[in-house]
Amino acid sequence: RTETLCLVRWCLRDRPKKAGSCQSTFNGVHWHRRHQRFQARVCFEGRCHYTGYFSNDTEAACAFDAKLRAICTDPVRLKKSLNFPTKAEASYEEPLSERRSRGLKKSSQNSAKDVESFQHLQHRFSKSPQASEFEIVNIPSQSRVDALFQPRGSKSVGLPLQLKSSTNRNKNSGECYAFQRTSGYDGMVLVLIALDCDMIWMVPGSEVSQTSLWITLGSKRDKAWRVSQVGLVLAEYFRKGTVPHVPLQDALMQCGDNHIVEEHSHAQLASVLGSVGLRLHRPPNVYYDVVDSVLSWQEHEWRVQEKATHMWSHGRYGANLRKSGGCLGPRAYAQTDFDILIVSLLDVSDRLLGIFLFPSCVLAKRRLVGNNHKSVQLYLYPPWSQPKPPAVAARHSWQLDHFVDLRSWKGKDFHLDPSSMESLTELLDKLLDNPAQAYSPEWPVTHRFPMWKFKDLAELLVEEGLVESFSDFVTPQDPPDEWFTLAHEEEYYRGFVENSLDPVRWRRIGFTQRPDHRALVRRTRLEVAGTLLTARLALETGLACNTAGGTHHAHRAWGSGYTALNDLAVTSKVLLQEGVVSRILICDLDVHQGDGTAEILREDAQAFTLSVHCKDNFPFGFKGMTHLGHDKSDLDVGLAKGTGDEVFLSTISEHLLGALDDFRPDLVLYDAGVDIHVDDDLGNLCISWDGLRKREDLVINACLSKRIPIACVIGGGYDRDPRHLAHRHGAVHRVAHEAWRLSVRLPDGSFVVGDLAVHSSRGTGPHDALQRTWATQQRCRPTPQLPWPQLRKDLSTLALSLLNFGRVDAGLHRRLHDAGERAARSLSRAQARDCCSAMLEPYKVLIRVCC
Ligand SMILES: [Zn+2]
C-alpha cells in the first residue's frame, strides 16, 4: 500500500548517511548543499517549478508529486514521474494507438532536429573562407556518422563528424545547454550545436566520456571548446589527422561493434552465395530497419534480414528477432518484413562456420515472427553443438533442415565442398516453394495460358483475409509416379516428365513455348497432388478448395488444351484404389467439356462424370481437329452459345441435384471454371458476376446440405487482365469461406462444417480450436480469455459439430471436460457454476450418442 511503501522508502532514505552523500533517489528531489536541505523541482514543458526546501527527502518527494499533479494532466508522464502514484495512476496503460502516434511525433521531432542542426553547421561553415576548399557531406541517418568533412568533390576520405544539438534548458537562471548520449564517439569529432543562438562547440569524441554533457556559458568547458571560426577549426582537425579519416563508404557503414561483425559476415555470406550463382547485395542508398540486403537469383528477388552470432552460453548460438519500434520498444518482426532470415554463425575470429537460412513463412509457422507483440530470442543449435536433454534437442531439430555447414569452406575465392553445396542448393529450392508461387513458374507473358493466375489468386486470398497468411495454405508434397500411371499411359507420362514427347504432342498440349521444362513438370505434378490433397481434406472436414486444378482435357495418352496431366482423374483413381471412397462424382462446370476426364474414367462405374458446358467451345469442332470432341461423359449437357444466367443455373440445379440423389457419391470433385463469365477471352457463355456467384453457392450448398464432402478446383479462366481473372477465380473460395464460417453457427443437426472442424483437425485441442474459431469469427487475433456467453455457446456447437463428423471418441469427453475446466479457472465463482451446468448440455448429447 502507498503508506507502507512510503514508510519503507522513508526508512531506507533516512539511514545515517555519510557526509556529503545526501543524495536522494526520488524523482525531482535534490540535496541543496548551501541550505543543507532537500529541494524539490518539477520540470515541465521547458519550465522549472520549485516547491521549497524540506528536511527529509520523502516530504520533498510528496511535494514534488503534489506540484506535478497540479500542473500536469498527462497520465503517461504522471505514471513515469510520480514518486507515490495512486493505484489508478500506476496502473494506467496508454492505448497502443496513442503510444504509436506519440512515438511518431517524437521521432519526427528528432529527425527535424537532425536536419536543423546540420543546416545550422552548414550555414556557419559556408561563411568561412575554407568553404571554397572543403565541404560538409550529410550522411543518411542510419549510420553513426552524421556528416563528413572533406576536400571539395573528394571521393576518397573525410573527417567523420557527430552532430549533437540542444536548446537553452533554463531561461530563468544561467545559460546552460544539455547534450544527450555524448559518449562512445571515438574516431569522430563531436560537434555540439546550440540551436537557439549562434554557438558551436567542438571536441574529439575520444575526450568525452560522459553520457550526457552540460555546457554552462562562461564555464571552463565552454571556453575550451567554443569555436568561432568553424571552417578553420575543422580544416585544422582534418590536416592534423589526430582523428582518423574515413572513406565515404566506411562512413555509411560506421556502426557499433555488433554491426561491424555483421558487415564482416555479410561479406563472407556474399561470397558463399556468389559461389552458387546468387547475388547478395545492398540496394544503393537504401537502409531499411528490417531489410539488410537483397538476394537475387535469375528473376527472383528475396529481401533478407541478416544476423550474425558468436557462440552464446552452453554451446548454443542465437539471434534476437526484434526490430526497433520507436517508443513502443523492441517489437517482433512481421511476417511481411522480410522474405528470408539468414543467421551466420561465427567463430572467435569472425570466420563463418555455417548459416541458418529460414524463409519467413517457416518462422511464422513457429510463431517466431508475426504473431507476437514482443520480441523473440531464437536459440540455434548447429549439428556440432546439439543440446544434451533429448527433449530440447527434439524441440529444436526442425532448425537442422535449414542449416548449411561451412566449416570446410576456406574463405573468399575458394569453392564450397560438394556436400555443403548440395545442402545450400536444397535450401534455395525450398525458397522457391513459396505456396503462392508453387503453381506459377516462369512463363512467357504473351502466352495464351495465364500461368501467373495461380499466384495471383493465392495472393488475393491473403489480401482479402480469407487466408490469414501464406503459411496457412496447406501445401502438397511431391507426389509419387504411381499415382499418375493409374490414369495415364506410362509412356506418355514418362515422355512428359523427361521432355521426350514429339513436337506434335507438345503442340496439342499447347506448351511448345516453355522457358523451364523442369519447373513446368514440377508445377504440373504439384497441381495434381494439390487436388488430391484437397479431396482428402474435404473428406476430413467436409469442404476444401485448391488454388489450381481442373486440368480436364488431359487424356490417358496425350495432353490437350493447356493440360498435360489430369488432376480430376488421378485423384479419383487414387481415392478409389485406396478404398477411401466408393463413389465419386465429378461435377465439371467449366465452359469447356471435360473430355479427358470422361475418357479416362469411362470404364469406371464408381466414378460419375457430369459436364455442363458450351457446345460451341473447345473441344467441339476446334480448328478442324477431328480427333477431338468424341469423348462422352456419363452425363453431358451442352448449352448453346450466349446462354445466360437463368438457363445456366436452372440446368445445373436440375442435373446436379439429380446426380447427387441418384448416384449418392461419397465425394464431389467440383471444377469451378470461370471461363463461363461473359468477359472471358475464350468462353462463349454469357454468365454475369451474379450468376457466377450463384453457381458456386448452388453447388457448394447442394453438397453440404446433403452431407456430401466437396473438393473444389478452380478450372479454366482466360483474361489478359490478371486482377480480373484472380478476382473471378476467387469467387469459389469466397463462397466456400462463407459457407464454412456460417456453418459453425448451425446448432441443429445439419451438416456442420466450419472453423471448429478445421482447427480441431489440425490437431489442436478443443479449447484452442474454440479460441481460434471465435477469433476468426470476430476477425481478430486469438485472445487468452473468451467472453463467457460466447464460449458457452461454442462449446455446445463444438460438441455437436464433432458429433456430426462422427468424431466421437473416448478422448473427446476428457478433452471437453478439460476445456471447460481451463475456462472455468479464469471465471468468477458464479460464472464457474454456470459453466458446470452448461458443460452438462453437450455431455448429455455425447453420452446419449456414445451409449
Ligand atoms: Zn475451360
Side-chain angles (χ1 to χ4, degrees):
R1 299 183 59 185
T2 318
E3 301 93 286
T4 329
L5 185 73
C6 185
L7 194 67
V8 170
R9 277 230 191 175
W10 186 80
C11 293
L12 285 173
R13 290 308 121 226
D14 225 37
R15 279 178 311 192
K17 288 170 189 136
K18 277 185 240 153
S21 68
C22 291
Q23 297 287 322
S24 169
T25 52
F26 285 122
N27 280 331
V29 178
H30 311 274
W31 176 251
H32 200 282
R33 217 178 301 163
R34 194 148 42 90
H35 287 86
Q36 287 290 300
R37 295 173 86 183
F38 287 100
Q39 182 190 38
R41 185 180 70 180
V42 183
C43 292
F44 184 65
E45 290 179 348
R47 285 200 58 192
C48 283
H49 306 262
Y50 294 90
T51 55
Y53 300 95
F54 303 89
S55 53
N56 74 54
D57 61 348
T58 314
E59 273 175 39
C62 291
F64 169 89
D65 285 6
K67 185 71 194 171
L68 185 65
R69 283 194 185 101
I71 57 176
C72 167
T73 52
D74 176 13
V76 178
R77 172 74 200 271
L78 287 176
K79 183 183 177 181
K80 201 177 125 202
S81 301
L82 285 177
N83 291 304
F84 307 112
T86 63
K87 205 173 166 193
E89 283 165 341
S91 61
Y92 176 77
E93 281 298 334
E94 190 180 17
L96 202 66
S97 58
E98 275 172 39
R99 260 162 86 186
R100 210 179 142 65
S101 62
R102 202 156 52 84
L104 287 173
K105 198 171 144 202
K106 195 170 173 196
S107 87
S108 70
Q109 272 172 2
N110 281 347
S111 61
K113 230 169 136 187
D114 285 349
V115 173
E116 198 186 341
S117 52
F118 181 75
Q119 283 170 349
H120 211 90
L121 178 68
Q122 189 73 278
H123 178 71
R124 278 283 296 267
F125 174 68
S126 64
K127 287 193 279 187
S128 65
Q130 283 78 11
S132 58
E133 198 185 335
F134 291 94
E135 63 180 343
I136 300 177
V137 183
N138 193 10
I139 306 283
S141 60
Q142 289 285 317
S143 168
R144 253 162 56 103
V145 178
D146 293 326
L148 214 56
F149 178 78
Q150 59 177 31
R152 226 161 232 293
S154 160
K155 292 261 179 299
S156 52
V157 290
L159 183 71
L161 308 180
Q162 173 66 36
L163 311 187
K164 294 283 170 194
S165 62
S166 170
T167 43
N168 192 354
R169 285 292 289 260
N170 187 1
K171 291 197 175 70
N172 304 337
S173 63
E175 301 263 305
C176 180
Y177 291 86
F179 298 92
Q180 308 294 332
R181 295 200 195 93
T182 46
S183 64
Y185 291 111
D186 293 14
M188 288 184 222
V189 174
L190 205 54
V191 182
L192 308 169
I193 301 166
L195 289 177
D196 55 356
C197 67
D198 212 15
M199 257 180 283
I200 290 181
W201 298 270
M202 280 187 211
V203 58
S206 54
E207 288 178 24
V208 178
S209 58
Q210 296 91 328
T211 42
S212 64
L213 203 62
W214 291 71
I215 296 182
T216 313
L217 294 193
S219 68
K220 225 195 286 174
R221 199 177 272 166
D222 173 36
K223 284 173 191 155
W225 295 351
R226 178 108 58 105
V227 170
S228 52
Q229 288 175 299
V230 174
L232 189 72
V233 177
L234 280 174
E236 194 123 303
Y237 273 122
F238 186 81
R239 289 207 187 91
K240 257 199 300 191
T242 43
V243 176
H245 297 173
V246 297
L248 179 63
Q249 208 50 43
D250 282 10
L252 284 169
M253 298 197 298
Q254 175 76 240
C255 312
D257 283 351
N258 51 341
H259 285 150
I260 291 167
V261 170
E262 280 187 10
E263 282 309 316
H264 203 78
S265 87
H266 172 83
Q268 296 185 71
L269 207 55
S271 74
V272 166
L273 294 167
S275 68
V276 287
L278 288 119
R279 198 162 93 84
L280 185 72
H281 57 104
R282 293 234 151 95
N285 299 325
V286 182
Y287 290 88
Y288 294 111
D289 189 21
V290 288
V291 176
D292 291 311
S293 51
V294 171
L295 182 66
S296 48
W297 178 70
Q298 292 177 0
E299 83 284 14
H300 300 282
E301 280 205 334
W302 296 281
R303 297 162 304 145
V304 181
Q305 166 63 234
E306 286 177 41
K307 302 269 177 201
T309 166
H310 290 107
M311 194 188 282
W312 289 6
S313 56
H314 308 295
R316 65 192 173 187
Y317 294 78
N320 288 318
L321 300 187
R322 63 173 177 224
K323 61 181 174 187
S324 142
C327 76
L328 299 179
R331 310 277 290 164
Y333 290 110
Q335 198 196 329
T336 46
D337 280 349
F338 53 82
D339 303 314
I340 316 174
L341 169 74
I342 301 184
V343 187
S344 311
L345 310 188
L346 304 171
D347 70 3
V348 279
S349 55
D350 289 348
R351 204 172 65 86
L352 195 58
L353 298 173
I355 55 170
F356 282 100
L357 192 152
F358 303 111
S360 67
C361 58
V362 169
L363 298 174
K365 227 173 225 170
R366 301 198 164 263
R367 311 259 163 218
L368 292 166
V369 299
N371 286 295
N372 301 284
H373 288 298
K374 283 197 293 182
S375 58
V376 188
Q377 214 162 43
L378 173 64
Y379 291 120
L380 294 164
Y381 297 92
W384 63 81
S385 118
Q386 281 292 300
K388 284 213 179 72
V392 182
R395 202 161 60 235
H396 292 89
S397 60
W398 64 276
Q399 300 174 348
L400 294 175
D401 294 341
H402 302 274
F403 183 72
V404 183
D405 197 332
L406 295 172
R407 280 175 298 173
S408 59
W409 183 59
K410 294 197 181 62
K412 206 170 172 248
D413 305 326
F414 285 92
H415 286 295
L416 280 180
D417 68 281
S419 76
S420 317
M421 182 83 105
E422 195 182 318
S423 49
L424 187 56
T425 17
E426 224 171 81
L427 279 185
L428 295 168
D429 278 347
K430 269 189 211 156
L431 281 182
L432 295 170
D433 263 351
N434 181 344
Q437 281 174 356
Y439 292 146
S440 296
E442 194 192 344
W443 201 243
V445 279
T446 50
H447 202 287
R448 170 47 98 191
F449 185 75
M451 193 62 92
W452 43 87
K453 71 179 184 180
F454 309 105
K455 180 169 171 279
D456 292 343
L457 174 62
E459 285 172 354
L460 184 76
L461 296 181
V462 173
E463 210 173 283
E464 288 187 1
L466 268 63
V467 182
E468 212 172 283
S469 78
F470 287 120
S471 60
D472 283 348
F473 282 103
V474 187
T475 42
Q477 299 292 312
D478 199 34
D481 293 334
E482 300 86 76
W483 289 359
F484 297 93
T485 46
L486 285 174
H488 293 281
E489 248 174 35
E490 181 140 12
E491 185 232 329
Y492 165 67
Y493 172 69
R494 290 267 154 243
F496 171 71
V497 172
E498 287 154 17
N499 201 7
S500 58
L501 294 181
D502 55 71
V504 179
R505 287 215 263 189
W506 275 118
R507 211 169 311 129
R508 276 191 185 177
I509 298 174
F511 292 162
T512 40
Q513 259 184 300
R514 46 182 194 287
D516 183 349
H517 176 78
R518 269 186 51 208
L520 177 70
V521 168
R522 203 179 111 82
R523 63 97 29 212
T524 309
R525 294 176 80 251
L526 269 184
E527 184 175 30
V528 176
T531 300
L532 182 57
L533 179 61
T534 309
R536 289 194 203 280
L537 287 173
L539 285 170
E540 201 179 305
T541 63
L543 173 61
C545 300
N546 194 356
T547 52
T551 50
H552 57 173
H553 298 304
H555 285 62
R556 182 168 281 280
W558 43 278
S560 161
Y562 308 133
T563 62
L565 301 172
N566 194 314
D567 64 326
L568 299 166
V570 171
T571 300
S572 308
K573 288 277 190 187
V574 172
L575 291 178
L576 287 172
Q577 199 204 35
E578 285 179 355
V580 194
V581 293
S582 52
R583 284 184 306 278
I584 287 192
L585 174 83
I586 290 139
C587 172
D588 189 336
L589 304 186
D590 191 280
V591 83
H592 305 103
Q593 189 225 8
D595 56 344
T597 325
E599 185 226 28
I600 298 174
L601 298 175
R602 188 182 298 144
E603 306 298 320
D604 257 306
Q606 290 172 290
F608 187 90
T609 48
L610 162 66
S611 178
V612 179
H613 49 262
C614 175
K615 63 182 163 53
D616 300 316
N617 259 118
F618 182 89
F620 305 109
F622 185 72
K623 287 181 188 164
M625 286 191 176
T626 48
H627 64 281
L628 291 175
H630 306 302
D631 302 297
K632 300 265 179 296
S633 311
D634 292 316
L635 178 56
D636 270 320
V637 186
L639 297 171
K641 199 170 180 169
T643 300
D645 291 7
E646 207 172 308
V647 177
F648 181 67
L649 291 172
S650 62
T651 310
I652 294 174
S653 169
E654 180 193 338
H655 294 292
L656 175 63
L657 294 180
L660 288 177
D661 286 340
D662 296 343
F663 189 66
R664 283 175 293 110
D666 301 325
L667 172 70
V668 170
L669 296 183
Y670 170 38
D671 183 336
V674 295
D675 37 16
I676 53 159
H677 193 269
V678 61
D679 294 334
D680 191 84
D681 288 349
L682 301 185
N684 285 332
L685 292 178
C686 289
I687 309 304
S688 67
W689 241 116
D690 193 43
L692 178 60
R693 236 193 21 252
K694 280 188 180 145
R695 178 190 74 172
E696 319 302 23
D697 219 39
L698 189 138
V699 177
I700 290 176
N701 286 317
C703 295
L704 294 186
S705 63
K706 290 178 191 297
R707 304 192 183 196
I708 302 168
I710 173 170
C712 311
V713 297
I714 67 168
Y718 304 86
D719 198 311
R720 289 271 168 236
D721 186 331
R723 283 304 288 185
H724 283 162
L725 191 54
H727 196 57
R728 273 174 224 157
H729 278 304
V732 69
H733 288 267
R734 270 177 231 118
V735 171
H737 186 259
E738 192 60 13
W740 195 266
R741 209 170 61 81
L742 288 178
S743 54
V744 192
R745 292 182 183 157
L746 297 174
D748 63 342
S750 66
F751 198 98
V752 180
V753 231
D755 296 1
L756 280 176
V758 195
H759 290 307
S760 41
S761 78
R762 281 191 186 166
T764 49
H767 187 257
D768 207 37
L770 277 176
Q771 266 195 20
R772 281 153 182 269
T773 308
W774 183 77
T776 329
Q777 282 180 1
Q778 304 295 313
R779 294 230 165 244
C780 65
R781 301 256 163 219
T783 47
Q785 281 191 11
L786 288 168
W788 173 242
Q790 187 67 43
L791 178 60
R792 175 186 164 155
K793 199 174 124 230
D794 283 350
L795 273 173
S796 339
T797 321
L798 172 68
L800 279 169
S801 74
L802 291 173
L803 271 178
N804 284 320
F805 276 106
R807 294 179 161 262
V808 181
D809 53 72
L812 178 67
H813 195 267
R814 179 82 234 151
R815 270 152 49 207
L816 274 173
H817 182 75
D818 289 351
E821 270 207 332
R822 223 176 311 158
R825 246 175 263 150
S826 58
L827 302 170
S828 70
R829 192 180 286 259
Q831 282 172 319
R833 227 184 353 251
D834 191 22
C835 168
C836 290
S837 64
M839 287 304 297
L840 280 177
E841 290 167 27
Y843 278 172
K844 279 180 200 153
V845 185
L846 283 177
I847 292 162
R848 214 167 48 230
V849 174
C850 290
C851 303

